[in-house]
Amino acid sequence: MSRRQLARHGAWFGAAVALSVVGGEVISSVVGGTTPSAAAVDDTATLRFVQVSDSHLGFTGTANPDVTGSFAHAIDQVNALPYRPDFVMHTGDLTHLSTAAQFDQVKQMLGGVHAGSVHTVPGEHDSIHDHGRGYLATFGAGSVGDGWYSFDIKGVHVIALVNTLSLETLGHLGPAQLDFVRGDVAGLSSDTPIIVFSHIPLFAMYPAWGWGTDDAAQVLSHLRRFSSVTCLNGHVHQLFTKTEGTVTFHSATTTAYPLPRPGVGPAPTPQTLPAGRLRTALGVREVSHVQGQATLAIKDSALA
């Protein structure tokens, strides 16, 4: 694969892209390695946070023989930012096989993140064989139900959802979680910026591969009265943006390994990249939120 081809297919594993979400319209542009992010502006009133996703600690395979090293490099990128993020959110598949050792490893690594706080939501790989009990024992403090929660920070309301524990074909939230969201936002003003995190997309990105949530329309019905709603997810291992009215969806890439684009190939299996073309395949998303406008910058994969 040539360098030009690699750049063209960069969205598979985390190209450098800046996105501005203004009034429901998404404007994106490729960011050079030295281009300062809008998030770097020294403004204490600005909410700055970072999304990382799909570290899959414990994965062994040719697609990435060192997922620990690539996740550590992503953490180094976060810690090298010219500001201290208000929080960091990991949007699931922290581990690959949800073992106690893998949960302990990722907890220790996240403990090295320089941020106001660190939050997580589980992926389906974080609930293998035990319905998420190991995940909740490690990361469930302060959550309710099967691990969902919300918090307010700098005028923004953040909701963290769990749609990976009742999987059949698609992600699923369930009645208890839908009731939680309804009650959680009932008292909020419609001009409150809302940020929603989940592992599986809250839109039908590619249902044939399970890239969607079967009751997402119900949870979104509680959010459509708000003037600014941004939904951030992992799971699909690639960058993707979709806007529906005042709701904008962003899928994050992975720190572990890329998956094929929707419909390319028989299944979403790990994709092996050409040797020597990449030092690592990373996906770190910086987000600033000012007066209801979200500005996102995706850190690029480092080319050899």
Side-chain angles (χ1 to χ4, degrees), residues 165-233:
L165 296 185
S166 300
L167 290 175
E168 292 185 3
T169 302
L170 298 172
H172 184 73
L173 296 165
Q177 200 164 184
L178 294 173
D179 286 344
F180 166 78
V181 173
R182 178 183 52 78
D184 183 61
V185 302
L188 297 178
S189 169
S190 60
D191 61 358
T192 303
I194 305 291
I195 298 174
V196 184
F197 291 100
S198 65
H199 180 64
I200 298 175
L202 293 177
F203 65 97
M205 181 175 178
Y206 196 68
W209 285 356
W211 291 3
T213 300
D214 58 13
D215 49 0
Q218 297 176 60
V219 74
L220 292 174
S221 70
H222 301 310
L223 303 177
R224 294 198 183 278
R225 69 179 179 88
F226 294 94
S227 57
S228 174
V229 179
T230 305
C231 299
L232 301 171
N233 65 267

Side-chain angles (χ1 to χ4, degrees), residues 42-161:
D42 185 17
D43 179 4
T44 58
T46 299
L47 174 64
R48 304 180 183 91
F49 64 96
V50 175
Q51 179 191 9
V52 296
S53 199
D54 295 84
S55 50
H56 285 272
L57 291 192
F59 171 82
T60 56
T62 56
N64 184 352
D66 185 17
V67 291
T68 299
S70 58
F71 186 44
H73 187 61
I75 291 173
D76 289 342
Q77 283 189 319
V78 175
N79 292 341
L81 291 170
Y83 57 87
R84 188 171 185 259
D86 293 294
F87 68 89
V88 169
M89 175 67 78
H90 192 305
T91 45
D93 281 355
L94 297 92
T95 70
H96 196 62
L97 296 174
S98 65
T99 67
Q102 289 170 10
F103 281 127
D104 182 66
Q105 182 183 22
V106 73
K107 184 176 182 179
Q108 290 188 43
M109 294 181 72
L110 288 174
V113 173
H114 301 161
S117 58
V118 177
H119 304 274
T120 65
V121 295
E124 77 280 4
H125 281 266
D126 300 316
S127 57
I128 294 175
H129 307 308
D130 71 349
H131 197 70
R133 289 190 296 273
Y135 168 83
L136 287 173
T138 309
F139 296 103
S143 65
V144 297
D146 285 328
W148 53 85
Y149 56 94
S150 67
F151 59 91
D152 295 286
I153 182 168
K154 292 188 175 180
V156 177
H157 190 66
V158 179
I159 305 173
L161 300 178

Side-chain angles (χ1 to χ4, degrees), residues 17-20 25-30 241 296:
V17 183
L19 302 97
S20 297
E25 181 181 3
V26 177
I27 303 171
S28 63
S29 60
V30 176
T241 296
L296 301 91

